[in-house]
Amino acid sequence: MDNGGKSFSAFKCIDLSSPDIHESVSLLKQACLDCGFFYVINHGISQEFMDEVFSQSKRFFTLPLSEKMKLLRNEKHRGYAPVLDESLDPENQVDGDYKEAYYFGVEIPKDDPKSEKLFCGPNVWPSADILPGWRQTIEKFHQEALEVGKAVARIIALALDLERDFFDKPEMLGEPIASLTLLHYEGKISDPSTGIYGAGAHSDFGLITLLATDDILGLQICKDKDAKPQTWEYVAPLKGAFIVNLGDMLERWSNCIFKSTLHRVLVHGPERYSFLSFFFLGYKIALFVEPSPDCLVECLPTCQSDNNPPK
């Protein structure tokens, strides 16, 4: 799809409130076979609360840099990462990612034996004197987004001809590495020809990612990473929806039947916020959902055959 000189990718839309589970499974499976990206709507998190999370994210990122630098990301991948701290595509980037980020995970006390595991431990929180009520909002959103991620994982299980609760098992998402990332793209104009990006091209390494973004355009996907030259398409923001994409772990689990797709962020002037939720989030918020640390990832029995052995 082309709009104003920009090429847009058309995604399937999964309605979590739909009583027709067969249609939801069919739509999701088509999306996973095509590009591994889709929208999720009617997910149970109110628009008012989503707006509040964006507002709280902006409150943090507008703090003086000196305050944010007191909360630098630690070895457990919790805390603040300043602009240019990361480079997702170092071969093609001049400086790094023109974004700042704040990372959280499932709160695990330092004296808990589980905190010794990778990406597990206590979070780094700004002082309540500086941001009163901030932690409570972020923790509530983290929990609600995790439930959305589990609901999506159940549909994915059915699309893979598995039991609906396959990913609900204790060794799967019973104690997941579910990390939440607040993102702020400050407005540095991206120019791929000179290696300037909001976020360099990459695929996510976990199970699935839930992305909530403001209405500022920027996310792009490349359905064929091996094409020369690569073709990049914009992803249109959809208010109130999560943009969901599959990670490398699920591609491996499905024996490469489902796709983990290359994506990047270009910034065209206005600052951009988003948030990401990763399962193992302008302003942007993302939740990354990944299985439990001790989970064995190997080709699923429903994704292999004599003609398609495990890769």
Side-chain angles (χ1 to χ4, degrees), residues 4 58 71 111 153 162 184 192 201 226 255 270-271 285 296:
K58 191 170 184 178
L71 305 165
D111 58 358
L162 300 166
H184 173 219
D226 297 319
N255 208 21
E271 61 180 348
I285 303 174
L296 176 63

Side-chain angles (χ1 to χ4, degrees), residues 166-175 253 291-296:
F166 177 83
F167 292 111
D168 287 329
K169 296 175 183 177
E171 67 272 22
M172 299 296 181
L173 295 181
E175 295 181 348
W253 234 331
S292 304
D294 299 325
C295 177
L296 176 63

